[in-house]
Amino acid sequence: MNSYKDKLRKITPYVPGEQSKDTDIVKINANENPYPPSPRAVEALKNFNTDALRFYPNANATLLKEALAKYYGVGVENVFVGNGSDDVLALAFQSFFCGREAIAYPDITYSFYPVWCELFHIPYKTYPLDEHFRVNVEDYREKNGGVVLPNPNAPTSLGEGEDFIRRLLDYNADSVVIIDEAYVDFGGYSSVALTKEYENLLVCGTFSKSRSLAGMRIGFAIGSAELIGVLEAVKNSYNSYTVDSLSIAMGIASVEDEAYFRTTVDKVIKTRTRVTNELRKRGFEVLDSQTNFIMATHDGYSMKELFEYLKAKKVFIRYFSLPRIEKYIRITIGTDDEMDRFLAEVKSFLEDKQ
Ligand SMILES: *Cc1c(COP(=O)(O)O)cnc(C)c1O
């Protein structure tokens, strides 16, 4: 029997972190920033000339690209912007992973990668992280159709340094290497400077985490004019206006407010150190995070139970029921008050279980 249903796309989508309207909830499950966006970005929103919304945005988002080029010390021709870095990454997959060979990434990583591979029919292979959840760079010597790696990695929170990235690039001169730097501002090593040396390197970034603008959907990529040119061509074959006028205005204002950016990032890092120490004092193993979240576990306790216990107490964290990481929980760093509530509930969980 023929049916139109046979012609529909069958796909398993990415599952985003839970959202909730309940204001009483401590929401530390989606790696969002606990602080508001820069007051200058808020000002840009308030002063926005709404009459101008009848015009299409600048298809090139030139002013936002210029602000980012200045910030990162690269040329405007080295910057690409998109509707969140998920949009930029999806375009990059379509632009650079067009060979027959499988692209390579770790077994434990951002769970959107396999979804895009399936959507765009890109073959892929994964290499297991070692027992300490680190990436073994030697795995990536094997021939591949491309490489994608978050640095720092998610959900492990662990980052690699310049030596590692250089080796990865030296082994992969014949592939495009995408480094997803969604969390880099919280203490990771940034490969942006290496884009001047390696034409095949694309570095992706986002305003969603360190710049508190997840709701505006602003992402970007930095790379050689060659790679950026292909990204532009693919974007313009799909949707010329991926970044709206309001995102452009608020994005520029955010980039220009370096002082506020520094202050909020430093606050998150300080709270992360405190929470890490508190959890370790209570017997948790906590990985050394370079991100705005931490991965933790505790011998003798079920992390799934802790996750559910906290949920009942209106503290939302993330638990992945996946091989190798099912013993861990992922906790986004919130404000000090939020983390105090989290720590207090963790304490009562441990006491209840004794
Ligand atoms: C959050 C995140 C993104 C996506 O960020 P958006 O700009 O909000 O789309 C991409 N990669 C990783 C690893 C992330 O954690």
Side-chain angles (χ1 to χ4, degrees), residues 109-269:
T109 195
Y110 190 35
S111 49
F112 228 132
Y113 301 158
V115 175
W116 287 319
C117 284
E118 204 198 323
L119 181 64
F120 305 134
H121 306 290
I122 299 166
Y124 67 93
K125 56 184 172 184
T126 59
Y127 294 108
L129 297 181
D130 72 14
E131 74 271 32
H132 306 293
F133 292 127
R134 307 231 65 125
V135 182
N136 179 9
V137 74
E138 300 304 315
D139 290 338
Y140 297 81
R141 291 183 96 133
E142 207 170 75
K143 224 163 159 286
N144 58 59
V147 175
V148 59
L149 183 72
N151 191 40
N153 196 7
T156 66
S157 79
L158 303 174
E160 303 296 339
E162 181 174 347
D163 283 353
F164 174 102
I165 302 291
R166 279 189 183 275
R167 264 160 77 191
L168 181 67
L169 289 161
D170 291 336
Y171 295 157
N172 288 282
D174 298 330
S175 292
V176 172
V177 175
I178 300 177
I179 304 292
D180 179 354
E181 294 192 348
Y183 299 104
V184 77
D185 296 327
F186 299 101
Y189 162 75
S190 173
S191 309
V192 164
L194 298 183
T195 58
K196 293 184 184 180
E197 265 178 75
Y198 296 89
E199 258 191 37
N200 59 323
L201 166 63
L202 190 83
V203 176
C204 292
T206 176
F207 283 49
S208 298
K209 277 92 188 213
S210 55
R211 295 192 179 276
S212 310
L213 284 170
M216 286 312 292
R217 315 302 305 126
I218 310 170
F220 60 94
I222 294 173
S224 60
E226 176 77 27
L227 293 188
I228 300 300
V230 178
L231 273 177
E232 287 294 344
V234 172
K235 184 208 76 165
N236 288 321
S237 310
Y238 163 70
N239 174 2
S240 303
Y241 305 105
T242 50
V243 186
D244 61 81
S245 313
L246 200 48
S247 297
I248 293 173
M250 290 181 76
I252 293 168
S254 165
V255 174
E256 287 174 348
D257 196 352
E258 176 68 10
Y260 181 83
F261 170 75
R262 274 284 129 236
T263 308
T264 47
V265 163
D266 288 349
K267 276 207 272 192
V268 169
I269 293 174

Side-chain angles (χ1 to χ4, degrees), residues 258-321:
E258 176 68 10
Y260 181 83
F261 170 75
R262 274 284 129 236
T263 308
T264 47
V265 163
D266 288 349
K267 276 207 272 192
V268 169
I269 293 174
K270 205 167 154 220
T271 307
R272 177 182 76 201
T273 307
R274 182 172 76 85
V275 174
T276 301
N277 292 338
E278 290 286 330
L279 288 175
R280 283 180 180 158
K281 260 193 259 166
R282 297 195 171 102
F284 279 84
E285 179 209 326
V286 185
L287 304 189
D288 282 314
S289 171
Q290 296 186 348
T291 62
N292 68 339
F293 60 89
I294 50 179
M295 275 278 275
T297 186
H298 197 318
D299 271 352
Y301 296 89
S302 155
M303 289 302 106
K304 186 164 190 278
E305 267 181 44
L306 173 55
F307 162 77
E308 277 156 6
Y309 179 92
L310 291 173
K311 193 168 170 177
K313 305 281 182 173
K314 295 194 177 189
V315 176
F316 284 20
I317 60 168
R318 195 94 196 249
Y319 173 77
F320 301 94
S321 138

